[in-house]
Amino acid sequence: MAAAERKVCHGGQAELMLFLAKEGITTKTYDHPEVFTVEAMMPHLEKMGLDGAISKNLFVRDKKKRCHWLITAHHNQNINLASVAKKLGISGGVRFADENAMVEKIGVGQGCVTPLAVFNDKNGDVKLVVEADFLKEGKHKNLHFHPMVNSATLAITPSDFVNFARATGHEPIVIDMIEPTYC
């Protein structure tokens, strides 16, 4: 991998950790080899026996490239973008944003997308969308996200995650993205 690509994956980890500490948010970070997909990450996390929900994250935009959303759901969940767009009231649907938009808006590139990257969205251009199951009272001890790098996973309680999002000016938009399955 080129050095320029690696640099994109380090979108302010040190600053993020200082911010979390300043906000009184306790986290635990687990180092693992650099990964670019959830599938590649899972064997490492399974060996660690992490307790809680592990995320996958999508960075999307509207058709006209005016609005951006960072979507967080369970690592093994299929996300129907048309359904999510409908639930969010986005006419015309959503599409994946390109890497340049990711770097510009949230300071990280492909393989490093994390809801914690809203920390880099100082203008409030990005809306944070979270699977409802992540924040159900008592459901998960921790939520697991990349801490701006794809060589580590950070554990944070659901309530501290909400506190973090609010402290960055990003009230989570909580929707049920789990689609029912029919026989």
Side-chain angles (χ1 to χ4, degrees), residues 14-64:
E15 294 86 354
L16 170 68
M17 300 311 284
L18 287 172
F19 179 80
L20 291 167
K22 184 181 127 238
E23 293 295 318
I25 296 173
T26 303
T27 63
K28 180 164 177 150
T29 302
Y30 300 87
D31 293 324
H32 53 71
E34 190 173 53
V35 293
F36 288 90
T37 65
V38 172
E39 293 78 19
M41 178 179 66
M42 288 311 297
H44 303 293
L45 299 187
E46 286 167 357
K47 287 178 190 173
M48 295 176 197
L50 302 183
D51 185 14
I54 298 168
S55 74
K56 76 172 164 187
N57 305 284
L58 308 176
F59 191 66
V60 299
R61 62 165 176 83
D62 67 340
K63 185 177 179 178
K64 296 182 180 180

Coordinates of all heavy atoms in Angstrom, one line a residue, residues 14-64:
A14 N -4.8 10.7 17.5 CA -4.3 11.2 18.8 C -5.3 12.3 19.3 O -5.6 12.4 20.5 CB -2.9 11.8 18.6
E15 N -5.8 13.2 18.4 CA -6.7 14.2 18.7 C -8.0 13.6 19.2 O -8.6 14.1 20.2 CB -7.0 15.2 17.6 CG -5.7 16.0 17.1 CD -4.9 15.2 16.1 OE1 -5.1 14.0 15.8 OE2 -3.9 15.8 15.6
L16 N -8.5 12.6 18.6 CA -9.7 11.9 19.0 C -9.5 11.4 20.5 O -10.4 11.6 21.3 CB -10.0 10.7 18.1 CG -11.1 9.8 18.6 CD1 -12.5 10.5 18.6 CD2 -11.2 8.5 17.7
M17 N -8.4 10.7 20.7 CA -8.2 10.2 22.1 C -8.2 11.3 23.1 O -8.7 11.1 24.2 CB -7.0 9.3 22.1 CG -7.1 8.1 21.1 SD -8.6 7.1 21.2 CE -8.3 6.2 22.6
L18 N -7.5 12.4 22.8 CA -7.5 13.5 23.7 C -8.9 14.1 24.0 O -9.3 14.4 25.1 CB -6.6 14.6 23.2 CG -5.1 14.3 23.3 CD1 -4.3 15.4 22.5 CD2 -4.6 14.3 24.7
F19 N -9.7 14.2 22.9 CA -11.1 14.6 23.0 C -11.9 13.7 23.9 O -12.6 14.2 24.8 CB -11.7 14.8 21.7 CG -13.1 15.2 21.7 CD1 -13.4 16.6 21.8 CD2 -14.2 14.3 21.5 CE1 -14.8 17.0 21.8 CE2 -15.5 14.7 21.6 CZ -15.8 16.1 21.7
L20 N -11.8 12.4 23.7 CA -12.5 11.5 24.5 C -12.2 11.6 26.0 O -13.0 11.6 26.9 CB -12.3 10.0 24.0 CG -12.9 9.7 22.7 CD1 -12.3 8.4 22.1 CD2 -14.4 9.6 22.7
A21 N -10.9 11.7 26.3 CA -10.4 11.8 27.7 C -11.0 13.1 28.3 O -11.4 13.2 29.4 CB -8.9 11.8 27.7
K22 N -10.9 14.2 27.5 CA -11.4 15.5 28.0 C -12.9 15.4 28.3 O -13.4 16.1 29.2 CB -11.2 16.6 26.9 CG -11.6 18.0 27.3 CD -11.3 19.0 26.2 CE -12.5 19.7 26.0 NZ -13.2 19.8 24.8
E23 N -13.6 14.7 27.5 CA -15.1 14.5 27.8 C -15.4 13.5 28.9 O -16.5 13.2 29.2 CB -15.8 14.1 26.5 CG -15.8 15.1 25.4 CD -16.6 16.3 25.7 OE1 -17.7 16.2 26.3 OE2 -16.1 17.5 25.4
G24 N -14.3 12.9 29.5 CA -14.5 11.9 30.5 C -15.1 10.6 30.0 O -15.7 9.8 30.7
I25 N -14.8 10.3 28.7 CA -15.2 9.0 28.1 C -14.1 8.0 28.2 O -13.0 8.2 27.6 CB -15.7 9.3 26.7 CG1 -16.9 10.2 26.7 CG2 -16.0 8.0 25.9 CD1 -17.4 10.7 25.3
T26 N -14.4 6.9 28.8 CA -13.4 5.8 29.0 C -13.6 4.8 27.8 O -14.7 4.4 27.5 CB -13.7 5.1 30.3 OG1 -13.6 6.0 31.4 CG2 -12.6 4.0 30.5
T27 N -12.5 4.5 27.2 CA -12.5 3.5 26.1 C -11.4 2.5 26.3 O -10.5 2.7 27.1 CB -12.3 4.2 24.7 OG1 -11.0 4.8 24.7 CG2 -13.4 5.2 24.5
K28 N -11.4 1.5 25.5 CA -10.3 0.5 25.5 C -10.0 0.2 24.1 O -10.9 0.0 23.3 CB -10.6 -0.8 26.2 CG -9.5 -1.8 26.2 CD -9.6 -2.9 27.2 CE -8.4 -3.8 27.0 NZ -8.0 -4.5 28.1
T29 N -8.7 0.3 23.7 CA -8.3 0.1 22.3 C -7.6 -1.3 22.2 O -6.7 -1.6 23.0 CB -7.4 1.2 21.9 OG1 -8.1 2.4 22.0 CG2 -7.0 1.0 20.4
Y30 N -7.9 -2.0 21.2 CA -7.3 -3.3 20.9 C -6.6 -3.2 19.5 O -7.2 -2.9 18.5 CB -8.4 -4.4 20.7 CG -9.3 -4.5 22.0 CD1 -10.4 -3.7 22.2 CD2 -8.9 -5.5 22.9 CE1 -11.1 -3.9 23.3 CE2 -9.7 -5.7 24.1 CZ -10.8 -4.9 24.3 OH -11.5 -5.0 25.4
D31 N -5.3 -3.4 19.6 CA -4.5 -3.4 18.3 C -4.6 -4.7 17.6 O -4.8 -5.8 18.2 CB -3.0 -3.1 18.6 CG -2.8 -1.7 19.2 OD1 -3.5 -0.8 18.8 OD2 -2.0 -1.5 20.1
H32 N -4.6 -4.6 16.2 CA -4.6 -5.8 15.4 C -3.9 -5.4 14.1 O -3.7 -4.2 13.8 CB -6.0 -6.3 15.2 CG -7.0 -5.3 14.7 ND1 -7.0 -4.7 13.4 CD2 -8.1 -4.7 15.4 CE1 -8.0 -3.9 13.3 NE2 -8.7 -3.8 14.5
P33 N -3.7 -6.3 13.2 CA -3.1 -5.9 11.9 C -4.0 -5.0 11.1 O -5.2 -5.0 11.3 CB -2.9 -7.3 11.2 CG -2.8 -8.3 12.3 CD -3.7 -7.8 13.4
E34 N -3.4 -4.2 10.2 CA -4.2 -3.3 9.4 C -5.1 -4.1 8.5 O -4.7 -5.1 7.9 CB -3.2 -2.5 8.5 CG -3.8 -1.4 7.8 CD -2.7 -0.6 7.1 OE1 -1.9 -1.2 6.3 OE2 -2.7 0.6 7.3
V35 N -6.4 -3.7 8.5 CA -7.4 -4.4 7.7 C -8.2 -3.4 6.9 O -8.3 -2.2 7.3 CB -8.4 -5.2 8.6 CG1 -7.6 -6.4 9.2 CG2 -9.0 -4.4 9.6
F36 N -8.8 -3.8 5.8 CA -9.5 -2.9 4.9 C -11.0 -3.3 4.7 O -11.7 -2.6 4.1 CB -8.8 -2.7 3.6 CG -7.6 -1.9 3.7 CD1 -6.3 -2.5 3.9 CD2 -7.6 -0.5 3.6 CE1 -5.2 -1.8 4.1 CE2 -6.5 0.2 3.8 CZ -5.2 -0.4 4.0
T37 N -11.3 -4.4 5.3 CA -12.7 -4.9 5.3 C -13.1 -5.5 6.6 O -12.3 -5.9 7.4 CB -13.0 -5.9 4.2 OG1 -12.3 -7.1 4.5 CG2 -12.5 -5.5 2.8
V38 N -14.4 -5.5 6.9 CA -14.9 -6.1 8.1 C -14.6 -7.6 8.1 O -14.2 -8.1 9.1 CB -16.4 -5.9 8.2 CG1 -17.0 -6.7 9.3 CG2 -16.8 -4.4 8.4
E39 N -14.7 -8.2 6.9 CA -14.4 -9.6 6.8 C -12.9 -9.9 7.2 O -12.7 -10.9 7.9 CB -14.6 -10.2 5.4 CG -16.1 -10.2 5.0 CD -16.6 -8.8 4.6 OE1 -15.8 -7.9 4.3 OE2 -17.8 -8.6 4.6
A40 N -12.0 -9.1 6.9 CA -10.6 -9.3 7.2 C -10.4 -9.0 8.7 O -9.5 -9.6 9.3 CB -9.7 -8.4 6.3
M41 N -11.2 -8.1 9.3 CA -11.0 -7.7 10.7 C -11.5 -8.8 11.6 O -11.0 -9.0 12.7 CB -11.7 -6.4 10.9 CG -11.6 -5.9 12.4 SD -12.5 -4.4 12.6 CE -14.2 -4.8 12.3
M42 N -12.6 -9.5 11.3 CA -13.3 -10.3 12.2 C -12.5 -11.5 12.8 O -12.6 -11.7 14.0 CB -14.6 -10.9 11.5 CG -15.7 -9.9 11.4 SD -16.1 -8.9 12.9 CE -16.6 -10.2 14.0
P43 N -11.6 -12.2 12.1 CA -10.8 -13.2 12.7 C -10.0 -12.7 13.9 O -9.8 -13.3 14.9 CB -9.9 -13.7 11.6 CG -10.7 -13.4 10.3 CD -11.4 -12.1 10.6
H44 N -9.5 -11.4 13.7 CA -8.6 -10.8 14.8 C -9.5 -10.5 16.0 O -9.1 -10.8 17.1 CB -8.0 -9.6 14.3 CG -7.1 -9.8 13.0 ND1 -5.9 -10.5 13.1 CD2 -7.3 -9.4 11.8 CE1 -5.4 -10.6 11.8 NE2 -6.2 -9.9 11.0
L45 N -10.7 -10.0 15.8 CA -11.5 -9.6 16.9 C -12.1 -10.8 17.6 O -12.3 -10.8 18.8 CB -12.6 -8.7 16.4 CG -12.2 -7.3 15.8 CD1 -13.4 -6.5 15.6 CD2 -11.2 -6.6 16.7
E46 N -12.4 -11.9 16.8 CA -12.9 -13.1 17.4 C -11.9 -13.7 18.4 O -12.3 -14.2 19.4 CB -13.3 -14.1 16.3 CG -14.6 -13.7 15.6 CD -14.9 -14.4 14.3 OE1 -14.1 -15.3 13.9 OE2 -16.0 -14.1 13.7
K47 N -10.6 -13.7 18.0 CA -9.6 -14.2 18.9 C -9.5 -13.4 20.2 O -9.2 -13.9 21.2 CB -8.2 -14.1 18.2 CG -8.0 -15.1 17.1 CD -6.6 -14.9 16.5 CE -6.5 -15.7 15.2 NZ -5.3 -15.5 14.5
M48 N -9.9 -12.1 20.2 CA -9.9 -11.3 21.4 C -11.1 -11.5 22.3 O -11.0 -11.1 23.4 CB -9.8 -9.8 20.9 CG -8.5 -9.4 20.2 SD -8.6 -7.7 19.7 CE -7.3 -7.7 18.5
G49 N -12.1 -12.0 21.7 CA -13.3 -12.3 22.5 C -14.0 -11.0 23.0 O -14.4 -10.9 24.1
L50 N -14.1 -10.0 22.1 CA -14.7 -8.7 22.5 C -16.2 -8.9 22.9 O -16.9 -9.7 22.2 CB -14.6 -7.7 21.4 CG -13.2 -7.4 20.9 CD1 -13.2 -6.3 19.8 CD2 -12.3 -7.0 22.1
D51 N -16.6 -8.2 23.9 CA -18.0 -8.2 24.3 C -18.8 -7.0 23.8 O -18.5 -5.9 24.2 CB -18.0 -8.2 25.9 CG -19.4 -8.4 26.4 OD1 -20.3 -8.8 25.7 OD2 -19.6 -8.2 27.6
G52 N -19.7 -7.3 22.9 CA -20.5 -6.2 22.4 C -20.7 -6.2 20.9 O -20.4 -7.2 20.3
A53 N -21.2 -5.1 20.4 CA -21.6 -5.1 18.9 C -20.4 -4.5 18.2 O -19.7 -3.6 18.6 CB -22.8 -4.1 18.7
I54 N -20.1 -5.2 17.1 CA -19.0 -4.8 16.2 C -19.6 -4.1 14.9 O -20.6 -4.7 14.4 CB -18.1 -6.0 15.8 CG1 -17.5 -6.6 17.0 CG2 -17.1 -5.6 14.7 CD1 -16.8 -7.9 16.9
S55 N -19.1 -3.0 14.5 CA -19.7 -2.2 13.5 C -19.1 -2.4 12.1 O -18.0 -2.8 11.9 CB -19.7 -0.7 13.8 OG -18.4 -0.2 13.6
K56 N -20.0 -2.1 11.1 CA -19.5 -1.8 9.8 C -20.1 -0.4 9.5 O -21.1 0.0 10.0 CB -19.9 -2.8 8.7 CG -21.3 -2.8 8.3 CD -21.5 -3.8 7.1 CE -22.9 -4.1 6.8 NZ -23.0 -5.2 5.8
N57 N -19.4 0.3 8.6 CA -19.7 1.7 8.4 C -19.7 2.1 7.0 O -18.8 1.7 6.3 CB -18.8 2.6 9.2 CG -18.7 2.2 10.7 OD1 -19.6 2.5 11.4 ND2 -17.7 1.4 11.1
L58 N -20.7 2.8 6.6 CA -20.8 3.3 5.2 C -20.9 4.8 5.1 O -21.6 5.4 6.0 CB -22.1 2.7 4.5 CG -22.3 1.2 4.6 CD1 -23.6 0.8 4.1 CD2 -21.1 0.4 4.0
F59 N -20.2 5.4 4.2 CA -20.3 6.8 4.0 C -21.0 7.0 2.7 O -20.5 6.6 1.6 CB -18.9 7.4 4.0 CG -18.9 8.9 4.0 CD1 -19.3 9.6 5.2 CD2 -18.4 9.6 3.0 CE1 -19.3 11.0 5.2 CE2 -18.4 11.0 3.0 CZ -18.9 11.7 4.1
V60 N -22.2 7.7 2.7 CA -23.0 7.8 1.5 C -23.4 9.3 1.3 O -23.2 10.1 2.2 CB -24.3 7.0 1.6 CG1 -23.9 5.5 1.7 CG2 -25.2 7.4 2.8
R61 N -23.9 9.5 0.1 CA -24.3 10.9 -0.2 C -25.6 10.8 -1.0 O -26.0 9.8 -1.4 CB -23.2 11.5 -1.1 CG -23.0 10.8 -2.4 CD -22.3 11.5 -3.4 NE -22.0 10.8 -4.6 CZ -22.9 10.6 -5.6 NH1 -24.1 11.2 -5.6 NH2 -22.6 9.9 -6.7
D62 N -26.2 12.0 -1.1 CA -27.4 12.1 -1.9 C -27.0 12.2 -3.4 O -25.9 12.3 -3.8 CB -28.3 13.2 -1.5 CG -27.8 14.6 -1.8 OD1 -26.5 14.7 -2.0 OD2 -28.5 15.5 -1.8
K63 N -28.0 12.1 -4.3 CA -27.8 12.1 -5.7 C -27.0 13.4 -6.2 O -26.2 13.3 -7.1 CB -29.2 12.0 -6.4 CG -29.1 11.9 -7.9 CD -30.5 11.7 -8.5 CE -30.5 11.6 -10.0 NZ -31.8 11.4 -10.5
K64 N -27.3 14.5 -5.6 CA -26.7 15.7 -6.0 C -25.4 16.1 -5.3 O -24.9 17.2 -5.4 CB -27.7 16.9 -5.8 CG -28.9 16.7 -6.7 CD -29.9 17.8 -6.6 CE -31.1 17.6 -7.5 NZ -32.1 18.7 -7.5

